[in-house]
Amino acid sequence: MSGLIAFQGIPGAYSDLACRTAYPGMKTLPCESFERAMEAVREDEAELAMLACENSLAGRVPDVHYLLPQSGLFVVGEHFQRVEHCLLAPRGARIEGLQRAHSHTVALGQVRRLLKELHLTPVVEADTAGAAELVAKWNDPKEAAIASSLAAEIYGLEVLRTNVEDAAHNTTRFYVMAKRAQRYAPTMLPHPMTTFVFRVRNVPAALYKALGGFATNGVNMTKLESYMVDGHFTATQFLCDVDGHPDQPALKRALDELTFFSTELRVLGVYPAAPFRLSQVAQAAD
């Protein structure tokens, strides 16, 4: 085994941080795209891929939803990474001397209060870690970056402020992908999750009927995303996450009913629910 975990981005990206947090014993493999990260696993260059799928503020990551069913990989886990933006600048720079803040457009939208407070001009870059790399290269005390503390460490920048994001709940969820599916008996996982894709028949109320089995069997659906297939407006594919194991009676009955109204149903993975998910469920129940 390679001992590598692939991610989309450059060193210091939040996906890099997610890999190091979830799998501290593995080395990270930066990839220029989601496709390349998936290919690295298929070609045995990496054991796993950490792929961002949704963010609590920005919503879903469209590329992953489109690529996942055709990737040939399986979901073997999930990870939630808190996004803690930092204000980074070259060593010796002072906050009052900063003029511009560089980062990904989504990150800049998440630090509006800071930009207003410090009168910084936002400058869009390809990604957060790339912005940090540029600021380090320029070594100009007027230029700052919005990125992770890991990016500061990698590129030799100074952290002038931590946790500068407007919303404290900014969290990104990742699918952990592997070349082979994990095989769990229903009793092996106390809190199993199942991810699958399906296409409904092109008939009236097909989706309503297909999903009815989850309601009648008491299965909690935590995610339902739709997107077009091959550019056809009449061919819609759905990606779902649900609580439970496919061999547990309730979910098995729901999937059987779904199959009756679908043209395709494919399970992409069964895996343990992340501790972050379980803590949120516990908080909601209080």
Side-chain angles (χ1 to χ4, degrees):
M1 303 296 283
S2 67
L4 293 176
I5 179 168
F7 68 93
Q8 184 274 323
I10 68 172
Y14 284 103
S15 294
D16 187 7
L17 181 60
C19 292
R20 296 172 188 234
T21 301
Y23 297 92
M26 301 183 75
K27 294 183 178 180
T28 60
L29 176 64
C31 297
E32 67 272 12
S33 65
F34 289 116
E35 294 98 322
R36 179 67 190 102
M38 293 174 179
E39 181 185 36
V41 177
R42 284 197 303 269
E43 300 299 322
D44 294 322
E45 298 172 45
E47 288 181 48
L48 302 172
M50 180 76 72
L51 305 177
C53 57
E54 56 192 325
N55 176 267
S56 59
L57 296 179
R60 76 176 184 179
V61 180
D63 285 352
V64 168
H65 294 75
Y66 177 76
L67 295 168
L68 199 62
Q70 286 79 39
S71 69
L73 304 181
F74 297 90
V75 183
V76 297
E78 63 174 354
H79 175 69
F80 292 82
Q81 183 65 46
R82 173 81 163 79
V83 177
E84 298 175 301
H85 290 313
C86 297
L87 178 65
L88 313 180
R91 298 197 179 279
R94 299 172 63 86
I95 287 181
E96 53 268 27
L98 299 176
Q99 294 182 6
R100 287 169 289 276
H102 302 258
S103 197
H104 187 274
T105 181
V106 172
L108 291 171
Q110 296 170 349
V111 295
R112 289 190 177 94
R113 284 203 300 262
L114 176 79
L115 298 176
K116 183 177 181 181
E117 175 196 344
L118 302 183
H119 306 289
L120 298 177
T121 300
V123 181
V124 174
E125 305 293 353
D127 51 53
T128 57
E133 184 179 31
L134 287 173
V135 168
K137 178 182 178 181
W138 296 328
N139 196 31
D140 186 334
K142 298 188 294 296
E143 309 295 335
I146 303 297
S148 68
S149 58
L150 177 61
E153 179 183 334
I154 290 174
Y155 299 109
L157 296 174
E158 189 171 347
V159 179
L160 299 184
R161 283 194 190 178
T162 60
N163 299 106
V164 297
E165 59 275 8
D166 296 338
H169 60 78
N170 190 357
T171 303
T172 299
R173 179 180 178 237
F174 295 81
Y175 284 127
V176 182
M177 309 296 296
K179 193 172 183 178
R180 295 172 182 82
Q182 295 278 8
R183 303 296 181 186
Y184 296 104
T187 56
M188 291 176 64
L189 296 177
H191 302 286
M193 296 286 299
T194 298
T195 295
F196 59 91
V197 291
F198 69 94
R199 299 186 196 182
V200 294
R201 299 176 185 176
N202 190 23
V203 295
L207 180 60
Y208 172 79
K209 295 174 182 176
L211 298 181
F214 294 91
T216 56
N217 287 285
V219 175
N220 183 38
M221 183 175 291
T222 62
K223 181 186 185 69
L224 176 64
E225 296 281 358
S226 66
Y227 47 98
M228 289 188 299
V229 179
D230 299 327
H232 297 294
F233 288 96
T234 57
T236 302
Q237 185 157 276
F238 295 86
L239 174 68
C240 273
D241 293 331
V242 296
D243 292 340
H245 189 290
D247 291 335
Q248 291 174 334
L251 183 51
K252 188 176 187 306
R253 289 192 297 267
L255 291 176
D256 286 344
E257 191 165 338
L258 174 62
T259 302
F260 184 78
F261 294 102
S262 301
T263 59
E264 179 186 358
L265 170 63
R266 187 152 43 102
V267 174
L268 298 181
V270 180
Y271 50 95
F276 179 87
R277 177 186 297 279
L278 299 178
S279 68
Q280 284 209 320
V281 171
Q283 290 174 10
D286 290 341

